[in-house]
Amino acid sequence: LFAFVTQIRRLIDAGRMPQGDSGAHNGVRLMSIHKSKGLEFPVVILADLDHAFSRQDFDAPVLVHPELGLGPRYVDLRRRIRYPTLARLAVEERLRRENLAEEQRILYVAMTRPKEKLIMVDTVYNAPKKLRELASMTSVPVRPESVAEGKSFGDWLLLPLLTRPEASAFRAAAGTEIDSLWNGADLSWDTFTHDAEDFRELPAVSETAHETAQALPFTPSLLSWTYPHSAETALPAKLTATQLKGRPVDEEIAENAGHIPALRPDETAAHIPALRPLSQPKFRWEAHGLTPAERGTASHLLLQHLDFSGPDAAAQASKLVEKRLLTPEQADAIPYRAIDRFLSSPLADDIRHGRNIRREYRFTLLMDASEYDSRAHAGDSLLLQGVVDCCFETDAGITVVDFKTDRIRDAQALAQRAEAYRPQLQAYSDALRRVLELPVTRRVLYFLDAGAAVEV
């Protein structure tokens, strides 16, 4: 992914990447056949025609049809074998015909999307053998039983195509001829065959060069050779914003937001939304309680869903417990006095009057590596990822807010901790300035334990 993003960035910088909507007249759209239904395009490329039709529906122990009923396998316990019953064979044949009919409708949708040109690509392994088999089955018109034997869109298209005069290259590749060819006047197909080996570039190594290399003497200085770009090998391909504050082992609290609550006896897993599990097992936190990091996670989760104009923090946490966004254990671990103190602070009032308030704002950007690592050279890049706790817009620009649950003892410790977080806030500012295309005029750290807002 990093190499792909880098290449796209280079194309954009060179002015070779088209901008704007991918559905523009000079754009290319990649989509499934189902997604293209109802749309039209000047040119359509239909690829992967050799992809076999799925047969997973027939692997179940019991087949089900709304009209024919059940089609089970018979299990002979004495002989320890199993085989399909007549009912299963009947249900399987009906399902197979219905599936083929659906595949034909899908192929019809795909071939009716272009307005000017349709390009179809069929990659076949051992093509001569496959073409000979299809040539022995085809006719004008193609028989239904031959169509029923098709295993892919490519089979269905090659059966009638082999009978057309334009497909002489296909018949030549198969080494066979067909007795009855289609004799219509419409010659609208262009057929091409390519061998995969034609696209493979093999380096030419002469025997003389090989012999010369064998005769070269061994040079001891090769053992002391040093790779000139060794510094680049130590650069990270990806960097998270939290790693910039001098504590690489500390995760972004918001990254772990959302935990699976414990089930009641009358509940099943279907009642629980798809959330991440707690970082420690249930018996562990029942016996010892939540860890400091998990208590911070609970506080950040409440702040993520906090209504700044709503009731007190404890009442809002109760609603989150009802919605299964917080567990009861997490709700008990939240410092509600600190949250309520924040709600009455000038910073919370600024957020209420701000515009376009964003919380848990995730970003991924390709940045100049030299800004974050002194070992990097000009032109080196790295992927910067992060999650901004809160940001909002004012007339002057963007204000970035980051909540911290650190325990602060005095003013000196507060200033030292704020300075340690400065690179993290700077990374957030750089990302928001590029993504939102607005200046960042204010960066605020709010320490819940101390009830203090520090601008960095």
Side-chain angles (χ1 to χ4, degrees):
L1 178 62
F2 177 74
F4 173 76
V5 173
T6 301
Q7 178 65 10
I8 294 299
R9 175 61 58 187
R10 290 172 178 170
L11 292 175
I12 292 176
D13 294 341
R16 295 166 55 190
M17 176 62 67
Q19 302 293 315
D21 184 13
S22 61
H25 68 281
N26 62 341
V28 176
R29 299 181 63 180
L30 302 179
M31 63 177 62
S32 65
I33 297 177
H34 291 86
K35 190 73 172 180
S36 67
K37 189 174 182 180
L39 304 177
E40 285 188 332
F41 306 92
V43 179
V44 171
I45 300 177
L46 181 58
D48 200 22
L49 294 178
D50 61 315
H51 191 85
F53 299 141
S54 174
R55 290 187 55 85
Q56 292 183 354
D57 295 341
F58 308 127
D59 295 336
V62 179
L63 301 181
V64 182
H65 190 273
E67 296 180 3
L68 301 183
L70 301 179
R73 293 191 179 101
Y74 179 78
V75 180
D76 191 330
L77 298 179
R78 183 178 61 86
R79 300 165 59 191
R80 296 187 178 183
I81 62 173
R82 63 181 182 180
Y83 51 86
T85 61
L86 289 177
R88 182 182 179 86
L89 294 175
V91 172
E92 183 175 341
E93 179 61 21
R94 175 67 72 84
L95 291 175
R96 190 180 69 86
R97 291 185 179 185
E98 292 178 355
N99 286 354
L100 290 179
E102 176 62 20
E103 296 291 352
Q104 289 178 352
R105 286 189 286 269
I106 293 174
L107 180 59
Y108 172 81
V109 169
M111 297 184 65
T112 53
R113 297 310 92 201
K115 294 186 292 186
E116 299 175 9
K117 179 179 288 189
L118 172 63
I119 301 172
M120 295 184 289
V121 182
D122 187 12
T123 305
V124 181
Y125 177 76
N126 197 357
K129 179 181 178 182
K130 184 64 175 291
L131 291 173
R132 281 194 296 271
E133 293 175 353
L134 294 175
S136 64
M137 300 166 52
T138 190
S139 60
V140 181
V142 179
R143 293 182 294 272
E145 55 269 25
S146 299
V147 176
E149 292 296 324
K151 297 180 175 58
S152 64
F153 288 154
D155 292 352
W156 283 350
L157 293 169
L158 285 172
L159 281 171
L161 188 58
L162 282 169
T163 65
R164 295 181 66 94
E166 306 101 301
S168 58
F170 293 171
R171 293 189 293 272
T176 184
E177 285 295 336
I178 298 176
D179 296 335
S180 57
L181 294 178
W182 182 79
N183 56 7
D186 179 19
L187 301 177
S188 57
W189 288 80
D190 292 325
T191 60
F192 305 93
T193 60
H194 304 280
D195 192 331
E197 295 296 328
D198 297 340
F199 302 99
R200 179 180 300 179
E201 296 182 0
L202 299 177
V205 179
S206 64
E207 294 184 0
T208 304
H210 179 70
E211 294 174 355
T212 303
Q214 293 287 344
L216 289 176
F218 173 70
T219 305
S221 60
L222 293 176
L223 297 178
S224 60
W225 180 78
T226 302
Y227 182 58
H229 304 286
S230 57
E232 281 78 356
T233 63
L235 291 177
K238 184 182 75 171
L239 185 68
T240 59
T242 50
Q243 291 174 305
L244 301 175
K245 64 177 184 293
R247 295 167 58 188
V249 297
D250 186 20
E251 289 186 312
E252 178 70 18
I253 292 297
E255 289 285 353
N256 292 328
H259 297 282
I260 296 179
L263 293 175
R264 296 196 299 267
D266 59 339
E267 291 183 324
T268 62
H271 295 86
I272 303 302
L275 300 176
R276 297 183 185 181
L278 286 168
S279 57
Q280 56 178 326
K282 179 181 177 182
F283 69 84
R284 171 67 173 76
W285 52 259
E286 282 183 344
H288 303 283
L290 301 182
T291 65
E294 288 170 337
R295 290 195 293 269
T297 296
S299 299
H300 274 74
L301 186 56
L302 175 59
L303 289 168
Q304 177 183 351
H305 299 278
L306 192 65
D307 183 0
F308 293 103
S309 60
D312 60 278
Q316 296 194 47
S318 299
K319 293 183 179 180
L320 294 180
V321 173
E322 295 176 0
K323 296 178 181 180
R324 300 298 179 88
L325 296 174
L326 276 176
T327 66
E329 292 76 16
Q330 287 176 311
D332 293 339
I334 295 176
Y336 294 112
R337 290 185 179 179
I339 303 294
D340 290 334
R341 181 170 53 189
F342 162 69
L343 288 175
S344 60
S345 67
L347 178 60
D349 190 59
D350 292 340
I351 296 176
R352 294 187 191 98
H353 293 87
R355 303 189 304 270
N356 298 328
I357 302 173
R358 298 175 175 88
R359 282 182 274 187
E360 297 301 311
Y361 188 78
R362 299 173 181 266
F363 63 87
T364 301
L365 287 174
L366 197 64
M367 305 292 288
D368 187 351
S370 61
E371 297 180 9
Y372 306 98
D373 198 315
S374 59
R375 299 170 298 176
H377 295 87
D380 292 338
S381 301
L382 58 80
L383 206 62
L384 179 65
Q385 289 184 331
V387 182
V388 180
D389 286 348
C390 179
C391 66
F392 59 93
E393 298 177 15
T394 63
D395 293 337
I398 298 176
T399 297
V400 182
V401 180
D402 198 49
F403 300 106
K404 298 301 178 184
T405 58
D406 306 39
R407 291 190 177 274
I408 306 297
R409 297 181 179 180
D410 50 42
Q412 182 179 0
L414 181 66
Q416 292 176 350
R417 196 62 56 86
E419 187 62 27
Y421 286 120
R422 180 185 296 274
Q424 182 183 358
L425 269 292
Q426 183 61 49
Y428 289 160
S429 302
D430 295 341
L432 292 175
R433 183 171 60 251
R434 288 183 54 182
V435 175
L436 302 180
E437 297 182 347
L438 290 172
V440 176
T441 57
R442 187 184 180 195
R443 299 190 295 266
V444 183
L445 284 166
Y446 187 86
F447 292 90
L448 293 170
D449 182 67
V454 181
E455 297 195 18
V456 296

